[in-house]
Amino acid sequence: MTLNLVLSEDQEMLRDAARNFCQKHTPIKQLRQLRDSRDATGFDRESWRQMVELGWTGMAIPEAYGGYEFGYGGLGVVLQETGRTLTCSPLIASVLLAATAINKMGNESQKAELLPKLVSGELLATLALDETPFHRPTQIATTAVLDNGRYRLNGHKTFVLDAHVADLLIVIARTSGNDIETPGVSAFLVDANTKGVTITRTSMVDSRNCGNVQLDNVVLSADSVLGEPGQAFPLLDQVLDIGRIGLAAEMLGSIEEAFKHTVEYLNQRQQFGVLIGSFQGLQHRAAVMYSEIELCKSAVVAALAALDDPKQTATQIAMLASLAKAKLSDVFFLVSNEAIQMHGGIGMTDEFDIGFFIKRARVAQQMLGDATFHRDRFATLQGF
Amino acid sequence: MSSLQIFRDNTRAWLEENCPASMRTPMVQEEIVWGGRHATFKNPDSKIWLERMAERGWTCPTWPQEYGGGGLSKDEAIILQQELQRIDARPALTSFGISMLGPVLLEYGTHEQKARYIPPIVRGEIRWCQGYSEPGSGSDLASLSTKAELQGDHYIINGSKVWTSYADKADWIFCLVRTDFEVPKHSGISFILFDMETEGVSTKPISLISGASPFCETFFDDVKVPAENLIGQVNDGWTIAKRLLQHERTMISSFGLSKGQSDRGGTTSSMATVEGAAKAYRGDTGTLSDPVLRDQIAQFNIDSEAFALTSQRSVQESKHGQGPNATSSMLKYYGCELNKRRYELLLQSIGSQSLGWEGDGFANEELLVTREWLRSKANSIEGGTLEVQLNIIAKRVLGLPDMLSMANKTRS
């Protein structure tokens, strides 16, 4: 089935509006200020309120739950723009991951109660999945034991986006099975203030907001289960794929911006009496990056289009998600390294913005699975 | 029902009726139809298939009906392509007339020239070759020195070309010649067509590292060509030459698409996918047992798929009026690198069975891998080297300063 790989007019308008907003309200300067002031929230509440007003939180949510049904294609172009300015916001944690999880896995009353609050921005949520320094969504050691109609959770979660500001955690825990099986994996809605939940903010290299979550005998009512107990994995995997594709869109924006700054520098810096951009040793490396970025654009636009195409199967989407996340991770690695090298000494200074991109690159590369994780998954999906 | 849906239904029905069964099997190299005065059809169905497709102009689906083309819109042409793929139909005709000359004739030729040259291309009656590179002019193509002197109503052409693909089998040549030696090199070139049977034209095949001889040296010794065979304006041939190169690059870039490979008769059953070959030769049934090779193949497949999506996107964007232009250089560069990677991975995948030259101990498809691996090394040289493509991207797309042109200005 042929996917539409060109943005619609509506999507183009949305992209232009998002680009204007980010340049005006959430430039890289904002990230720098938040970092330097060790801001307790880690993002700008006023900017977030405006993003809610612009409708970004409800893009892929059904109208019945307060959303706008503009599709993942819409959310994708927004994320690409926030990626350009390395915007700090709860969009990935609360909208792309948590709202998607509730929308895909939740029952009617959970969706009716939670989704409108996530769209209005009054509730912030996140997904607590990883337990080790590596993304291994099938290997869940956190336990949830059913006892007298209540679940008791014990375990440790790490690399949880926006954990320190989240009101609600979606905690992935095991209700049965050993810790490498997918049956037995369950999802729980956990109020961040529940007794036994300890959240520690972790200061990451890219100033992206993350945290660790400790769960000590956290007692939950039976209706806290999101989806079917023990059967969460297939839908969770689909949620993760949406997250990977959305994250890939954000990475694309960051890659394009880092590359743009680099080419501008080549066209401006003089050595030996000429612009350094006239050196073939740099030109060819820039042209190779350009080509790789063109492939990234296609991978992202195809994966986003697949999410909005009801004819695409979960397996087809999984392959496009792993393709996009693997490819974008590799190219973000390449472009962020070359960006520093081509900027020379000035690229090593904190004063210059280009360093923010290599920091964001490494964090984004690992989040939701790095390139080797996704190549392994892609090969398995292709039957080898 | 929409008109496109009706078109799809009719096309599907016509193909069911008219595409012979043997034309729905993977192409084998010996049966590729190049057409021309001396065309041979090893499989008689190939001739029937060509005639039926040419009759409708579907060998050149989007070209104007006035000149024998199919007259299809871009949307209809995409549907035709999808329906051909659906039944795994072989290309009815493969020719440089279709992929290179035709598009520039339609853009730059006069009505008389189009009426004369286009219909025989559509029907596969004339086989064309490309007179571009010269012994002293490879990447620096514009330095070419084959000379065309106007004498009355004829040009007299002297010089030689090299790497002329299938010159020994071609009927006509589209050729770059120098018509003015007194001006800067790009401004004295003209684009001219002539019959390879004209007195004074001779060819000599070049034996390649793969053992094959698809390329020739071509010599012109006082070749007399009617002046009306010149396309466009005298001394303005470089514009046409560059445009044609964009079409050539788009064609060559398709080598990077897995489908494109089978069009050239390159890949056969067990070599159809690299992972399939790697598993078969190791006796693996589930996961490929070599984890490093598995990762490399996955990376290759991901890049291939992203490249195929990029080709599709380029077509969709050109339909939306956003144009291909310098994109052809990016596609050419990436597609050729991918095809070379494919063959290196195939060599690793089937081990020493990929290294036979001829004779016993090797299956035909294994020997084909050896030869095609060697052949693939030309992909990043022909149609402009990968370095030339990267130069074009740097200059035309990224707007980086052109040191070469600064150097040339200083020299002249």
Side-chain angles (χ1 to χ4, degrees):
Chain A
M1 198 60 227
T2 314
L3 293 163
N4 189 1
L5 305 173
V6 183
L7 293 188
S8 68
E9 268 183 43
D10 285 345
Q11 287 172 337
E12 281 184 4
M13 281 167 61
L14 176 63
R15 179 199 59 196
D16 295 343
R19 187 171 298 180
N20 277 336
F21 175 85
C22 292
Q23 281 171 2
K24 207 183 273 178
H25 299 284
T26 64
I28 297 179
K29 200 169 69 187
Q30 187 187 65
L31 171 70
R32 185 184 287 281
Q33 283 163 355
L34 290 164
R35 180 196 68 172
D36 292 346
S37 64
R38 293 191 164 77
D39 187 271
T41 309
F43 64 91
D44 180 53
R45 293 266 181 196
E46 175 55 22
S47 303
W48 174 240
R49 194 188 59 75
Q50 289 171 309
M51 290 180 204
V52 170
E53 265 177 24
L54 287 167
W56 293 0
T57 48
M59 288 286 161
I61 302 295
E63 284 179 10
Y65 306 114
Y68 313 112
E69 290 185 23
F70 206 73
Y72 288 102
L75 183 55
V77 298
V78 167
L79 288 169
Q80 197 178 336
E81 295 311 316
T82 59
R84 273 184 220 282
T85 57
L86 305 172
T87 297
C88 286
S89 88
L91 268 182
I92 300 255
S94 197
V95 175
L96 181 67
L97 291 170
T100 300
I102 291 164
N103 190 31
K104 279 252 172 204
M105 303 163 79
N107 60 34
E108 187 52 38
S109 73
Q110 289 165 335
K111 289 199 268 190
E113 188 205 333
L114 298 170
L115 290 177
K117 291 183 189 164
L118 289 172
V119 173
S120 72
E122 67 189 272
L123 185 74
L124 293 181
T126 189
L127 179 68
L129 169 69
D130 290 348
E131 302 183 346
T132 70
F134 311 100
H135 179 70
R136 299 285 182 266
T138 58
Q139 299 175 19
I140 301 300
T142 297
T143 55
V145 178
L146 188 60
D147 182 15
N148 259 339
R150 287 171 171 268
Y151 285 98
R152 196 173 64 248
L153 271 63
N154 278 288
H156 179 77
K157 296 288 178 181
T158 187
F159 209 26
V160 181
L161 264 175
D162 290 325
H164 67 299
V165 288
D167 308 298
L168 178 71
L169 309 169
I170 295 168
V171 175
I172 306 304
R174 181 170 292 286
T175 42
S176 66
N178 65 38
D179 65 3
I180 54 166
E181 293 176 343
T182 54
V185 171
S186 307
F188 293 90
L189 296 166
V190 182
D191 188 310
N193 296 317
T194 313
K195 187 165 172 262
V197 176
T198 311
I199 297 173
T200 317
R201 186 177 182 184
T202 49
S203 173
M204 305 300 289
V205 67
D206 69 334
S207 313
R208 172 105 89 178
N209 303 305
C210 282
N212 292 335
V213 178
Q214 181 69 32
L215 303 151
D216 294 313
N217 289 313
V218 176
V219 177
L220 302 174
S221 63
D223 62 3
S224 309
V225 181
L226 191 63
E228 289 297 308
Q231 304 297 321
F233 191 78
L235 283 177
L236 172 66
D237 210 24
Q238 292 180 28
V239 171
L240 292 176
D241 278 333
I242 292 170
R244 289 154 181 157
I245 292 167
L247 180 58
E250 193 203 53
M251 292 164 81
L252 176 60
S254 306
I255 291 170
E256 288 182 305
E257 193 68 11
F259 183 62
K260 192 183 106 188
H261 285 306
T262 306
V263 172
E264 280 169 4
Y265 188 73
L266 297 182
N267 261 326
Q268 164 203 322
R269 168 78 173 167
Q270 291 207 2
Q271 285 291 279
F272 306 102
V274 293
L275 293 172
I276 61 171
S278 64
F279 299 141
Q280 212 172 28
L282 297 178
Q283 286 188 345
H284 283 192
R285 282 154 57 193
V288 167
M289 285 193 274
Y290 165 80
S291 306
E292 293 288 0
I293 294 168
E294 285 297 305
L295 265 69
C296 287
K297 287 183 194 170
S298 313
V300 168
V301 72
L304 288 169
L307 289 179
D308 291 329
D309 180 351
K311 291 197 235 32
Q312 296 285 318
T313 64
T315 308
Q316 285 172 313
I317 289 172
M319 288 177 62
L320 284 167
S322 280
L323 184 158
K325 187 60 176 53
K327 186 70 195 163
L328 273 286
S329 295
D330 282 346
V331 175
F332 206 175
F333 176 85
L334 169 77
V335 171
S336 59
N337 280 341
E338 288 285 59
I340 296 278
Q341 180 64 27
M342 290 185 180
H343 275 87
I346 203 165
M348 291 299 296
T349 63
D350 184 62
E351 188 189 340
F352 226 69
D353 285 340
I354 203 73
F356 281 107
F357 288 90
I358 197 170
K359 294 172 178 174
R360 172 57 52 85
R362 294 305 178 277
V363 175
Q365 279 170 244
Q366 296 216 8
M367 191 167 286
L368 300 176
D370 64 8
T372 43
F373 173 91
H374 284 290
R375 284 200 292 272
D376 172 66
R377 185 168 181 259
F378 188 83
T380 304
L381 288 166
Q382 283 201 330
F384 67 102
Chain B
M1 203 186 302
S2 74
S3 62
L4 284 179
Q5 189 57 46
I6 294 168
F7 177 78
R8 186 184 293 278
D9 292 346
N10 291 343
T11 300
R12 188 172 293 188
W14 187 87
L15 289 175
E16 281 304 336
E17 186 84 359
N18 288 284
C19 181
S22 71
M23 293 294 104
R24 305 181 192 194
T25 60
M27 180 65 98
V28 286
Q29 203 145 20
E30 314 84 72
E31 294 186 13
I32 293 177
V33 175
W34 288 93
R37 288 173 187 145
H38 312 289
T40 52
F41 298 91
K42 205 179 161 222
N43 177 345
D45 283 347
S46 305
K47 188 161 188 282
I48 297 170
W49 180 223
L50 169 60
E51 285 167 357
R52 288 177 180 169
M53 286 289 277
E55 173 70 33
R56 315 201 105 198
W58 282 5
T59 47
C60 305
T62 58
W63 294 8
Q65 275 177 325
E66 184 185 4
Y67 304 117
L72 300 187
S73 69
K74 276 212 160 166
D75 285 332
E76 289 169 336
I78 288 171
I79 289 172
L80 172 61
Q81 191 55 39
Q82 288 168 344
E83 292 301 316
L84 286 164
Q85 276 173 8
R86 198 182 68 87
I87 59 168
D88 292 320
R90 295 181 180 182
L93 178 61
T94 301
S95 92
F96 299 149
I98 296 177
S99 53
M100 294 195 254
L101 176 62
V104 297
L105 275 182
L106 288 170
E107 193 173 343
Y108 297 98
T110 61
H111 170 69
E112 287 71 23
Q113 288 169 333
K114 291 181 206 176
R116 179 178 174 195
Y117 297 113
I118 300 280
I121 293 176
V122 175
R123 295 193 296 264
E125 292 165 355
I126 294 293
R127 183 170 179 175
W128 289 88
C129 64
Q130 177 186 30
Y132 266 43
S133 294
E134 295 182 5
S137 302
S139 288
D140 185 11
L141 179 62
S143 71
L144 61 92
S145 58
T146 290
K147 181 160 85 175
E149 280 177 297
L150 190 60
Q151 291 190 0
D153 55 0
H154 280 74
Y155 283 99
I156 303 297
I157 298 178
N158 279 288
S160 68
K161 296 287 175 180
V162 73
W163 308 123
T164 326
S165 304
Y166 305 111
D168 52 339
K169 298 186 175 68
D171 306 312
W172 275 64
I173 187 168
F174 48 91
C175 196
L176 296 180
V177 293
R178 185 159 300 284
T179 34
D180 191 337
F181 282 81
E182 305 303 317
V183 290
K185 62 182 179 180
H186 295 96
S187 312
I189 294 169
S190 298
F191 187 96
I192 197 164
L193 315 178
F194 52 94
D195 194 322
M196 291 291 279
E197 285 179 5
T198 316
E199 201 183 328
V201 178
S202 59
T203 63
K204 187 177 157 214
I206 304 165
S207 191
L208 297 184
I209 53 174
S210 65
S213 305
F215 301 110
C216 293
E217 291 178 273
T218 308
F219 305 96
F220 310 124
D221 186 11
D222 285 334
V223 179
K224 197 174 165 191
V225 176
E228 71 208 30
N229 289 15
L230 193 137
I231 306 296
Q233 300 299 311
V234 182
N235 293 331
D236 194 24
W238 186 244
T239 311
I240 304 174
K242 282 192 297 184
R243 190 75 182 133
L244 187 139
L245 279 171
Q246 290 183 350
H247 292 288
E248 180 180 12
R249 283 161 191 160
T250 305
M251 171 193 72
I252 295 175
S253 75
S254 71
F255 296 172
L257 302 169
S258 37
K259 290 273 180 198
Q261 199 58 18
S262 56
D263 290 353
R264 298 167 61 233
T267 313
T268 48
S269 52
S270 70
M271 308 295 173
T273 64
V274 181
E275 65 272 20
K279 278 170 71 171
Y281 278 72
R282 283 164 182 73
D284 296 337
T285 49
T287 303
L288 180 59
S289 54
D290 181 334
V292 176
L293 182 59
R294 180 171 178 266
D295 186 69
Q296 288 174 347
I297 295 174
Q299 192 159 28
F300 169 76
N301 285 356
I302 283 171
D303 286 344
S304 292
E305 184 59 33
F307 177 73
L309 288 166
T310 305
S311 296
Q312 284 173 29
R313 182 165 65 88
S314 147
V315 172
Q316 290 184 13
E317 281 176 355
S318 71
K319 198 179 77 177
H320 286 74
Q322 292 161 18
N325 49 57
T327 309
S328 63
S329 285
M330 182 272 294
L331 293 174
K332 202 274 177 184
Y333 154 70
Y334 214 100
C336 292
E337 292 307 297
L338 273 177
N339 200 41
K340 292 194 296 179
R341 267 168 77 189
R342 182 203 319 278
Y343 280 100
E344 294 296 353
L345 283 170
L346 262 180
L347 257 57
Q348 286 185 61
S349 293
I350 69 174
S352 58
Q353 286 304 106
S354 67
L355 299 174
W357 183 250
E358 62 190 7
D360 294 341
F362 301 97
N364 279 338
E365 58 182 18
E366 291 169 345
L367 293 172
L368 195 58
V369 167
T370 318
R371 304 295 179 116
E372 285 285 313
W373 160 64
L374 287 163
R375 171 66 182 84
S376 73
K377 295 301 169 193
N379 293 164
S380 49
I381 302 168
E382 58 201 331
T385 61
L386 82 92
E387 290 79 6
V388 165
Q389 307 313 319
L390 295 178
N391 284 346
I392 292 172
I393 295 169
K395 187 168 133 189
R396 296 273 151 74
V397 185
L398 303 178
L400 292 171
D402 183 4
M403 202 181 222
L404 260 180
S405 81
M406 289 191 283
N408 283 340
K409 270 175 202 145
T410 329
R411 219 178 297 150
S412 59

